[in-house]
Amino acid sequence: IVKEWMDTFIRQFHNVDISVAVQTDAGLITPIVKDADRKGLIDVSADVKALAAKARDGKLKPDEFIGGTFSISNLGMFGVKSFCAVVNPPQAAILAVGGSEIKVVPNGEDGYKTVTCMTATLSCDHRVVDGAVAAAWLKVFKECIEDPVNMLM
C-alpha cells in the first residue's frame, strides 16, 4: 500500500517512509521515519521521538518532512477511541490509531479474562489501493500488534 496516485499512473515504492503526525505550536506537521521497513521497533520508536522533538522545536529540515510513502496519525494519546484520518495526497493510505482500553472478553470454558484493545482504521485512496488489499494489510497489522515480540529486531 506504499503507492502514490500520479494522475496518469500509480507509483509503487520499494521503501517505506512513514509520515508521523505531530502537533506543534505552529500546527500539524508530519516528519518522516525513513526506511521504517528496514528498522526494528526500537529504532523506529527512537526515530519518532527524535523527529517529534525536532518538530516541536521547529528544527526539522525539509527532507525530514517532505515526502513519505505512508502516514500514521495517533489520537489515542488524547483519549480518542477511534477516528478516520484523511489520506495525504499523493500518498495512498493513512493509519488512524485510537486509544487503548481494557475489556472483559469470554475465555472459552474458563470464564472471562481482561484484554487491552485498540482501534486502528486504515483510510485508502481506492484508485490506488483495492479494499481487499487494504483488508489483507490490516490483517497482518493486527497479527503484528497482537504479537509485538515478532516486530523486535
Side-chain angles (χ1 to χ4, degrees):
I1 62 175
V2 287
K3 303 176 181 180
E4 285 185 351
W5 175 253
M6 301 302 294
D7 195 35
T8 58
F9 66 95
I10 296 170
R11 175 180 291 153
Q12 172 75 48
F13 292 96
H14 300 289
N15 60 311
V16 179
D17 294 340
I18 305 281
S19 301
V20 181
V22 175
Q23 182 63 42
T24 70
D25 291 340
L28 189 69
I29 191 164
T30 52
I32 302 164
V33 177
K34 306 267 185 181
D35 297 317
D37 57 318
R38 295 183 181 102
K39 297 177 180 177
L41 192 56
I42 293 169
D43 291 335
V44 169
S45 177
D47 285 358
V48 168
K49 288 175 186 170
L51 287 164
K54 284 180 80 171
R56 289 187 190 99
D57 292 340
K59 296 183 179 179
L60 285 175
K61 298 174 186 164
D63 68 320
E64 293 176 312
F65 65 88
I66 296 174
T69 60
F70 182 83
S71 291
I72 298 176
S73 182
N74 177 3
L75 295 181
M77 65 186 83
F78 299 109
V80 176
K81 181 179 173 183
S82 67
F83 66 104
C84 293
V86 177
V87 176
N88 300 312
Q91 293 178 10
I94 184 169
L95 184 68
V97 179
S100 63
E101 62 182 350
I102 305 294
K103 289 187 176 183
V104 177
V105 298
N107 188 19
E109 294 181 19
D110 297 336
Y112 296 90
K113 65 179 180 176
T114 57
V115 296
T116 303
C117 298
M118 68 167 230
T119 300
T121 305
L122 183 66
S123 300
C124 298
D125 181 340
H126 281 260
R127 297 172 299 178
V128 181
V129 179
D130 180 85
V133 172
W137 187 92
L138 275 172
K139 181 178 184 257
V140 172
F141 175 77
K142 179 181 181 282
E143 291 166 358
C144 291
I145 291 298
E146 288 177 345
D147 189 12
V149 172
N150 286 327
M151 292 188 294
L152 298 174
M153 287 193 249

